[in-house]
Amino acid sequence: MYVTPHEIAQSRDHALNNLLGLSTACIIAGQRFSELFAGAGRDTLHAGSQHLNRFGHGQLDALSQFPTSFWLEHSIRSSKLLDQACEILGETHKVLIQSAEAQVRAFDEIVFASLNRAVKSSPWESEIALNALRTTLQTAENTLRGMSIAAVETVSIAENEVHQISETLAEQPVQKPKAPARSRSRAH
């Protein structure tokens, strides 16, 4: 047998810990999304009630500005919502990448242990092939690590770009349209 019961148990522990970490990240993301969308719903209801309140108090000039002002305010809220949603997705994606890499490392540990035992119990001719296999596996693990780092950096860059777009939209002042000029001429 190439793998000891202790190594098998340790591998299972690593796999369960990786799965637990991933599950925790997904649950936290779900909670954050629930809070985000509940807050956005409350904000939308509050903004809508403000518009209706203006109409109820006889501010009919607000009626002519309603579509434009509502659209501008809504676009700002939507960009902030998108920014926060992308942040949650980005963080969850990073955890997914790191969890997958950790799981591959746990599997590689078992393979390395098996290769080491095989080298000790094999003729010297097969040691060359097993060492080549170990080198290939180490190279693949280093490549995976590099790809994981690049993927996490790419997610961070995408988060920053969405955040900058959101900030740009939020910084634009909400301009209320001018009411059309009324003519004061009287028809005789």
Side-chain angles (χ1 to χ4, degrees), residues 32-45 77 81:
R32 289 180 66 191
F33 271 123
S34 295
E35 292 170 2
L36 179 65
F37 292 135
R42 283 190 300 271
D43 289 345
T44 301
L45 287 173
R77 282 194 309 273
L81 180 68

Side-chain angles (χ1 to χ4, degrees), residues 121-134:
S121 64
S122 301
W124 68 270
E125 296 92 3
S126 61
E127 185 177 336
I128 295 170
L130 292 172
N131 284 334
L133 184 59
R134 183 183 309 137

Side-chain angles (χ1 to χ4, degrees), residues 4 45 59 107-108 133 136 140 162 181:
T4 65
L45 287 173
Q59 296 176 350
F107 177 74
D108 286 349
L133 184 59
T136 302
V162 170

Side-chain angles (χ1 to χ4, degrees), residues 2 30-32 49-50 67 81 84 91 98 133 137 166 168 173:
Y2 289 121
Q31 289 172 338
R32 289 180 66 191
S49 68
Q50 285 180 336
L81 180 68
Q84 292 169 348
E91 290 172 9
Q98 293 163 347
L133 184 59
L137 186 59
S166 177
T168 301

